[in-house]
Amino acid sequence: MTGLPIDPICHMEVDPANPPGGTAEHEGVVYYFCNPRCNEKFCADPEGVLAAFDEEQGRRKEQDEAPTPTPETPPAEPTPSAAPSAVLEVTGMSCSACAANIERALGKAPGVISANVNFAVSKAYVSFDDRVTDLDALSREIEGAGYGVKKAGGLRTVALEADPAQVAAVCALLSEMSGISKASPTGEAAIIEASYEPKELRLSTLIEALDAEGFEVALSKRTSLASDSAAEEFRAVRVRLIA
């Protein structure tokens, strides 16, 4: 421990001689902040923030004092090889510590396999067990941590057919692409559902990116093409339509 005061919002240590986010006083105690936005959040609800801060500090102390688990702990149940993944656009982050807070909140949530939050692009990349949780529940976890999730509008969902042995790899690649909201296997063998923002990503671009990585996919007729240009985009890259 350095003895420096801790920002009660993001738990970062702050130099009291030059706090980037200024200070705020509550019940005779001065608090220091790493960022003006953290200061604003504190002033909006100081008692709520301090209660959550004390709870988190207590939890961290318990974890530090907890004995090291014995090696006899039974192995964890293996996770599905093609777990669904999602990209959530996060609002309200003011520093990298905010990203770390969201990662911790998601990491504790039931059904979450992994969570990575990138402060620079304001996005959370989450792999999860869809038998336990879903996108709405993940969004609530982020909101419960004091941040927001931008609701996607006008998403287009397509069903893709891939080699069963490549489903997990295709889902992983799709999840890394900008404009993809969700990519996950369905209950049907070799069928992947992908939701994307057509203003950011064209279906033809999606298919070309998969093809460049050596993945052959086809559009399933589960995908409705009557009201959009998905079929024309697919024909542009000469991908066969599965019956």
mmCIF file of all heavy atoms in Angstrom, residues 156-194:
data_model
loop_
_atom_site.group_PDB
_atom_site.id
_atom_site.type_symbol
_atom_site.label_atom_id
_atom_site.label_comp_id
_atom_site.label_asym_id
_atom_site.label_seq_id
_atom_site.Cartn_x
_atom_site.Cartn_y
_atom_site.Cartn_z
ATOM 1 N N ARG A 156 -29.301 -6.381 -38.038
ATOM 2 C CA ARG A 156 -29.729 -7.411 -38.987
ATOM 3 C C ARG A 156 -29.117 -8.733 -38.535
ATOM 4 O O ARG A 156 -27.957 -8.792 -38.162
ATOM 5 C CB ARG A 156 -29.255 -7.054 -40.388
ATOM 6 C CG ARG A 156 -29.654 -8.047 -41.467
ATOM 7 C CD ARG A 156 -29.194 -7.550 -42.828
ATOM 8 N NE ARG A 156 -29.899 -6.339 -43.200
ATOM 9 C CZ ARG A 156 -29.496 -5.501 -44.148
ATOM 10 N NH1 ARG A 156 -28.369 -5.737 -44.791
ATOM 11 N NH2 ARG A 156 -30.194 -4.429 -44.441
ATOM 12 N N THR A 157 -29.914 -9.771 -38.507
ATOM 13 C CA THR A 157 -29.444 -11.087 -38.086
ATOM 14 C C THR A 157 -29.495 -12.059 -39.248
ATOM 15 O O THR A 157 -30.498 -12.135 -39.955
ATOM 16 C CB THR A 157 -30.291 -11.632 -36.921
ATOM 17 O OG1 THR A 157 -30.189 -10.740 -35.813
ATOM 18 C CG2 THR A 157 -29.792 -13.008 -36.485
ATOM 19 N N VAL A 158 -28.397 -12.779 -39.450
ATOM 20 C CA VAL A 158 -28.334 -13.776 -40.508
ATOM 21 C C VAL A 158 -27.951 -15.118 -39.909
ATOM 22 O O VAL A 158 -27.284 -15.184 -38.870
ATOM 23 C CB VAL A 158 -27.315 -13.399 -41.609
ATOM 24 C CG1 VAL A 158 -27.772 -12.182 -42.381
ATOM 25 C CG2 VAL A 158 -25.930 -13.176 -41.016
ATOM 26 N N ALA A 159 -28.409 -16.177 -40.536
ATOM 27 C CA ALA A 159 -28.032 -17.530 -40.124
ATOM 28 C C ALA A 159 -27.034 -18.062 -41.147
ATOM 29 O O ALA A 159 -27.316 -18.082 -42.346
ATOM 30 C CB ALA A 159 -29.263 -18.429 -40.055
ATOM 31 N N LEU A 160 -25.882 -18.466 -40.679
ATOM 32 C CA LEU A 160 -24.818 -18.955 -41.550
ATOM 33 C C LEU A 160 -24.564 -20.422 -41.281
ATOM 34 O O LEU A 160 -24.631 -20.880 -40.140
ATOM 35 C CB LEU A 160 -23.532 -18.166 -41.303
ATOM 36 C CG LEU A 160 -23.616 -16.645 -41.428
ATOM 37 C CD1 LEU A 160 -22.316 -16.009 -40.970
ATOM 38 C CD2 LEU A 160 -23.935 -16.244 -42.858
ATOM 39 N N GLU A 161 -24.273 -21.169 -42.343
ATOM 40 C CA GLU A 161 -23.916 -22.569 -42.179
ATOM 41 C C GLU A 161 -22.419 -22.726 -42.415
ATOM 42 O O GLU A 161 -21.875 -22.227 -43.395
ATOM 43 C CB GLU A 161 -24.697 -23.447 -43.148
ATOM 44 C CG GLU A 161 -24.357 -24.922 -42.978
ATOM 45 C CD GLU A 161 -25.344 -25.827 -43.692
ATOM 46 O OE1 GLU A 161 -26.543 -25.494 -43.712
ATOM 47 O OE2 GLU A 161 -24.904 -26.848 -44.228
ATOM 48 N N ALA A 162 -21.745 -23.406 -41.474
ATOM 49 C CA ALA A 162 -20.300 -23.591 -41.559
ATOM 50 C C ALA A 162 -19.952 -25.048 -41.310
ATOM 51 O O ALA A 162 -20.800 -25.841 -40.876
ATOM 52 C CB ALA A 162 -19.597 -22.701 -40.536
ATOM 53 N N ASP A 163 -18.718 -25.394 -41.584
ATOM 54 C CA ASP A 163 -18.212 -26.716 -41.248
ATOM 55 C C ASP A 163 -18.336 -26.893 -39.734
ATOM 56 O O ASP A 163 -17.875 -26.037 -38.974
ATOM 57 C CB ASP A 163 -16.743 -26.802 -41.672
ATOM 58 C CG ASP A 163 -16.136 -28.182 -41.437
ATOM 59 O OD1 ASP A 163 -16.572 -28.873 -40.503
ATOM 60 O OD2 ASP A 163 -15.210 -28.545 -42.180
ATOM 61 N N PRO A 164 -18.966 -27.967 -39.248
ATOM 62 C CA PRO A 164 -19.131 -28.152 -37.798
ATOM 63 C C PRO A 164 -17.829 -28.035 -37.018
ATOM 64 O O PRO A 164 -17.824 -27.544 -35.889
ATOM 65 C CB PRO A 164 -19.720 -29.562 -37.692
ATOM 66 C CG PRO A 164 -20.429 -29.768 -38.988
ATOM 67 C CD PRO A 164 -19.604 -29.057 -40.014
ATOM 68 N N ALA A 165 -16.732 -28.442 -37.622
ATOM 69 C CA ALA A 165 -15.447 -28.384 -36.931
ATOM 70 C C ALA A 165 -14.914 -26.951 -36.835
ATOM 71 O O ALA A 165 -13.968 -26.693 -36.084
ATOM 72 C CB ALA A 165 -14.420 -29.257 -37.648
ATOM 73 N N GLN A 166 -15.508 -26.034 -37.607
ATOM 74 C CA GLN A 166 -15.013 -24.661 -37.629
ATOM 75 C C GLN A 166 -15.952 -23.676 -36.944
ATOM 76 O O GLN A 166 -15.668 -22.477 -36.905
ATOM 77 C CB GLN A 166 -14.789 -24.209 -39.076
ATOM 78 C CG GLN A 166 -13.724 -25.002 -39.816
ATOM 79 C CD GLN A 166 -13.524 -24.497 -41.237
ATOM 80 O OE1 GLN A 166 -14.420 -23.911 -41.842
ATOM 81 N NE2 GLN A 166 -12.334 -24.718 -41.776
ATOM 82 N N VAL A 167 -17.060 -24.150 -36.384
ATOM 83 C CA VAL A 167 -18.067 -23.252 -35.813
ATOM 84 C C VAL A 167 -17.463 -22.347 -34.740
ATOM 85 O O VAL A 167 -17.674 -21.129 -34.728
ATOM 86 C CB VAL A 167 -19.252 -24.053 -35.250
ATOM 87 C CG1 VAL A 167 -20.138 -23.166 -34.375
ATOM 88 C CG2 VAL A 167 -20.081 -24.637 -36.389
ATOM 89 N N ALA A 168 -16.704 -22.930 -33.808
ATOM 90 C CA ALA A 168 -16.130 -22.133 -32.713
ATOM 91 C C ALA A 168 -15.184 -21.065 -33.255
ATOM 92 O O ALA A 168 -15.211 -19.901 -32.820
ATOM 93 C CB ALA A 168 -15.396 -23.040 -31.732
ATOM 94 N N ALA A 169 -14.346 -21.425 -34.218
ATOM 95 C CA ALA A 169 -13.381 -20.477 -34.782
ATOM 96 C C ALA A 169 -14.081 -19.369 -35.566
ATOM 97 O O ALA A 169 -13.680 -18.202 -35.510
ATOM 98 C CB ALA A 169 -12.386 -21.212 -35.676
ATOM 99 N N VAL A 170 -15.144 -19.723 -36.288
ATOM 100 C CA VAL A 170 -15.900 -18.718 -37.041
ATOM 101 C C VAL A 170 -16.556 -17.730 -36.078
ATOM 102 O O VAL A 170 -16.516 -16.508 -36.287
ATOM 103 C CB VAL A 170 -16.950 -19.388 -37.941
ATOM 104 C CG1 VAL A 170 -17.884 -18.334 -38.541
ATOM 105 C CG2 VAL A 170 -16.276 -20.178 -39.055
ATOM 106 N N CYS A 171 -17.164 -18.241 -34.997
ATOM 107 C CA CYS A 171 -17.788 -17.366 -33.999
ATOM 108 C C CYS A 171 -16.761 -16.418 -33.390
ATOM 109 O O CYS A 171 -17.029 -15.231 -33.188
ATOM 110 C CB CYS A 171 -18.449 -18.193 -32.896
ATOM 111 S SG CYS A 171 -19.980 -19.008 -33.402
ATOM 112 N N ALA A 172 -15.581 -16.931 -33.098
ATOM 113 C CA ALA A 172 -14.533 -16.106 -32.493
ATOM 114 C C ALA A 172 -14.102 -14.996 -33.442
ATOM 115 O O ALA A 172 -13.923 -13.839 -33.033
ATOM 116 C CB ALA A 172 -13.343 -16.975 -32.113
ATOM 117 N N LEU A 173 -13.928 -15.319 -34.716
ATOM 118 C CA LEU A 173 -13.511 -14.314 -35.691
ATOM 119 C C LEU A 173 -14.598 -13.261 -35.877
ATOM 120 O O LEU A 173 -14.312 -12.057 -35.921
ATOM 121 C CB LEU A 173 -13.178 -14.981 -37.026
ATOM 122 C CG LEU A 173 -12.754 -14.040 -38.160
ATOM 123 C CD1 LEU A 173 -11.499 -13.273 -37.768
ATOM 124 C CD2 LEU A 173 -12.508 -14.830 -39.450
ATOM 125 N N LEU A 174 -15.846 -13.699 -35.983
ATOM 126 C CA LEU A 174 -16.946 -12.750 -36.144
ATOM 127 C C LEU A 174 -17.014 -11.783 -34.969
ATOM 128 O O LEU A 174 -17.249 -10.584 -35.140
ATOM 129 C CB LEU A 174 -18.274 -13.503 -36.280
ATOM 130 C CG LEU A 174 -18.513 -14.234 -37.601
ATOM 131 C CD1 LEU A 174 -19.772 -15.082 -37.516
ATOM 132 C CD2 LEU A 174 -18.632 -13.248 -38.760
ATOM 133 N N SER A 175 -16.822 -12.296 -33.755
ATOM 134 C CA SER A 175 -16.949 -11.468 -32.554
ATOM 135 C C SER A 175 -15.901 -10.364 -32.506
ATOM 136 O O SER A 175 -16.089 -9.352 -31.827
ATOM 137 C CB SER A 175 -16.849 -12.329 -31.297
ATOM 138 O OG SER A 175 -17.915 -13.250 -31.245
ATOM 139 N N GLU A 176 -14.793 -10.556 -33.208
ATOM 140 C CA GLU A 176 -13.730 -9.546 -33.219
ATOM 141 C C GLU A 176 -13.969 -8.465 -34.266
ATOM 142 O O GLU A 176 -13.289 -7.440 -34.258
ATOM 143 C CB GLU A 176 -12.385 -10.218 -33.493
ATOM 144 C CG GLU A 176 -11.937 -11.159 -32.384
ATOM 145 C CD GLU A 176 -10.671 -11.919 -32.748
ATOM 146 O OE1 GLU A 176 -10.193 -11.736 -33.892
ATOM 147 O OE2 GLU A 176 -10.167 -12.681 -31.914
ATOM 148 N N MET A 177 -14.936 -8.668 -35.139
ATOM 149 C CA MET A 177 -15.167 -7.725 -36.232
ATOM 150 C C MET A 177 -15.987 -6.541 -35.766
ATOM 151 O O MET A 177 -16.962 -6.674 -35.026
ATOM 152 C CB MET A 177 -15.871 -8.433 -37.398
ATOM 153 C CG MET A 177 -15.040 -9.517 -38.052
ATOM 154 S SD MET A 177 -15.928 -10.363 -39.392
ATOM 155 C CE MET A 177 -16.181 -9.000 -40.540
ATOM 156 N N SER A 178 -15.602 -5.349 -36.191
ATOM 157 C CA SER A 178 -16.352 -4.140 -35.875
ATOM 158 C C SER A 178 -17.723 -4.204 -36.545
ATOM 159 O O SER A 178 -17.837 -4.554 -37.720
ATOM 160 C CB SER A 178 -15.584 -2.913 -36.368
ATOM 161 O OG SER A 178 -16.316 -1.735 -36.139
ATOM 162 N N GLY A 179 -18.763 -3.863 -35.810
ATOM 163 C CA GLY A 179 -20.122 -3.888 -36.343
ATOM 164 C C GLY A 179 -20.896 -5.129 -35.967
ATOM 165 O O GLY A 179 -22.106 -5.177 -36.130
ATOM 166 N N ILE A 180 -20.200 -6.171 -35.467
ATOM 167 C CA ILE A 180 -20.870 -7.396 -35.036
ATOM 168 C C ILE A 180 -21.345 -7.224 -33.595
ATOM 169 O O ILE A 180 -20.579 -6.852 -32.716
ATOM 170 C CB ILE A 180 -19.933 -8.615 -35.110
ATOM 171 C CG1 ILE A 180 -19.611 -8.942 -36.569
ATOM 172 C CG2 ILE A 180 -20.554 -9.829 -34.433
ATOM 173 C CD1 ILE A 180 -20.754 -9.571 -37.343
ATOM 174 N N SER A 181 -22.619 -7.468 -33.347
ATOM 175 C CA SER A 181 -23.166 -7.380 -31.994
ATOM 176 C C SER A 181 -23.124 -8.726 -31.294
ATOM 177 O O SER A 181 -22.871 -8.808 -30.094
ATOM 178 C CB SER A 181 -24.614 -6.868 -32.044
ATOM 179 O OG SER A 181 -25.206 -6.906 -30.768
ATOM 180 N N LYS A 182 -23.381 -9.801 -32.049
ATOM 181 C CA LYS A 182 -23.411 -11.133 -31.446
ATOM 182 C C LYS A 182 -23.123 -12.169 -32.513
ATOM 183 O O LYS A 182 -23.555 -12.041 -33.654
ATOM 184 C CB LYS A 182 -24.776 -11.399 -30.799
ATOM 185 C CG LYS A 182 -24.924 -12.792 -30.191
ATOM 186 C CD LYS A 182 -26.333 -13.007 -29.648
ATOM 187 C CE LYS A 182 -26.501 -14.413 -29.094
ATOM 188 N NZ LYS A 182 -27.860 -14.686 -28.626
ATOM 189 N N ALA A 183 -22.397 -13.203 -32.135
ATOM 190 C CA ALA A 183 -22.145 -14.337 -33.028
ATOM 191 C C ALA A 183 -22.128 -15.586 -32.164
ATOM 192 O O ALA A 183 -21.299 -15.709 -31.269
ATOM 193 C CB ALA A 183 -20.824 -14.172 -33.766
ATOM 194 N N SER A 184 -23.055 -16.498 -32.410
ATOM 195 C CA SER A 184 -23.127 -17.681 -31.555
ATOM 196 C C SER A 184 -23.739 -18.857 -32.309
ATOM 197 O O SER A 184 -24.536 -18.673 -33.232
ATOM 198 C CB SER A 184 -23.973 -17.388 -30.311
ATOM 199 O OG SER A 184 -25.289 -17.023 -30.673
ATOM 200 N N PRO A 185 -23.360 -20.076 -31.913
ATOM 201 C CA PRO A 185 -23.955 -21.263 -32.530
ATOM 202 C C PRO A 185 -25.402 -21.414 -32.073
ATOM 203 O O PRO A 185 -25.784 -20.940 -31.004
ATOM 204 C CB PRO A 185 -23.081 -22.405 -31.997
ATOM 205 C CG PRO A 185 -22.554 -21.893 -30.701
ATOM 206 C CD PRO A 185 -22.362 -20.418 -30.891
ATOM 207 N N THR A 186 -26.202 -22.050 -32.884
ATOM 208 C CA THR A 186 -27.592 -22.320 -32.514
ATOM 209 C C THR A 186 -27.694 -23.773 -32.076
ATOM 210 O O THR A 186 -26.705 -24.482 -32.004
ATOM 211 C CB THR A 186 -28.522 -22.081 -33.711
ATOM 212 O OG1 THR A 186 -28.240 -23.066 -34.725
ATOM 213 C CG2 THR A 186 -28.317 -20.695 -34.299
ATOM 214 N N GLY A 187 -28.897 -24.201 -31.794
ATOM 215 C CA GLY A 187 -29.097 -25.588 -31.407
ATOM 216 C C GLY A 187 -28.938 -26.549 -32.570
ATOM 217 O O GLY A 187 -28.799 -27.758 -32.374
ATOM 218 N N GLU A 188 -28.958 -26.018 -33.791
ATOM 219 C CA GLU A 188 -28.812 -26.856 -34.977
ATOM 220 C C GLU A 188 -27.331 -27.021 -35.328
ATOM 221 O O GLU A 188 -26.548 -26.078 -35.206
ATOM 222 C CB GLU A 188 -29.545 -26.230 -36.162
ATOM 223 C CG GLU A 188 -31.038 -26.062 -35.939
ATOM 224 C CD GLU A 188 -31.704 -25.418 -37.131
ATOM 225 O OE1 GLU A 188 -31.338 -25.794 -38.264
ATOM 226 O OE2 GLU A 188 -32.560 -24.553 -36.937
ATOM 227 N N ALA A 189 -26.969 -28.178 -35.755
ATOM 228 C CA ALA A 189 -25.572 -28.452 -36.098
ATOM 229 C C ALA A 189 -25.102 -27.518 -37.209
ATOM 230 O O ALA A 189 -25.780 -27.347 -38.224
ATOM 231 C CB ALA A 189 -25.407 -29.899 -36.525
ATOM 232 N N ALA A 190 -23.964 -26.915 -36.999
ATOM 233 C CA ALA A 190 -23.261 -26.114 -38.006
ATOM 234 C C ALA A 190 -23.940 -24.794 -38.355
ATOM 235 O O ALA A 190 -23.518 -24.118 -39.279
ATOM 236 C CB ALA A 190 -23.048 -26.927 -39.282
ATOM 237 N N ILE A 191 -24.978 -24.384 -37.628
ATOM 238 C CA ILE A 191 -25.650 -23.119 -37.912
ATOM 239 C C ILE A 191 -25.217 -22.068 -36.900
ATOM 240 O O ILE A 191 -25.264 -22.286 -35.693
ATOM 241 C CB ILE A 191 -27.186 -23.260 -37.883
ATOM 242 C CG1 ILE A 191 -27.651 -24.265 -38.933
ATOM 243 C CG2 ILE A 191 -27.850 -21.895 -38.129
ATOM 244 C CD1 ILE A 191 -27.404 -23.841 -40.357
ATOM 245 N N ILE A 192 -24.797 -20.913 -37.419
ATOM 246 C CA ILE A 192 -24.364 -19.790 -36.587
ATOM 247 C C ILE A 192 -25.295 -18.614 -36.844
ATOM 248 O O ILE A 192 -25.622 -18.312 -37.990
ATOM 249 C CB ILE A 192 -22.922 -19.365 -36.940
ATOM 250 C CG1 ILE A 192 -21.949 -20.518 -36.682
ATOM 251 C CG2 ILE A 192 -22.508 -18.119 -36.168
ATOM 252 C CD1 ILE A 192 -20.575 -20.288 -37.282
ATOM 253 N N GLU A 193 -25.724 -17.953 -35.778
ATOM 254 C CA GLU A 193 -26.494 -16.725 -35.918
ATOM 255 C C GLU A 193 -25.578 -15.542 -35.654
ATOM 256 O O GLU A 193 -24.894 -15.492 -34.630
ATOM 257 C CB GLU A 193 -27.680 -16.699 -34.957
ATOM 258 C CG GLU A 193 -28.873 -17.497 -35.448
ATOM 259 C CD GLU A 193 -30.132 -17.205 -34.654
ATOM 260 O OE1 GLU A 193 -30.032 -16.494 -33.637
ATOM 261 O OE2 GLU A 193 -31.200 -17.693 -35.043
ATOM 262 N N ALA A 194 -25.562 -14.590 -36.560
ATOM 263 C CA ALA A 194 -24.732 -13.404 -36.421
ATOM 264 C C ALA A 194 -25.603 -12.161 -36.549
ATOM 265 O O ALA A 194 -26.359 -12.031 -37.510
ATOM 266 C CB ALA A 194 -23.625 -13.384 -37.469
#
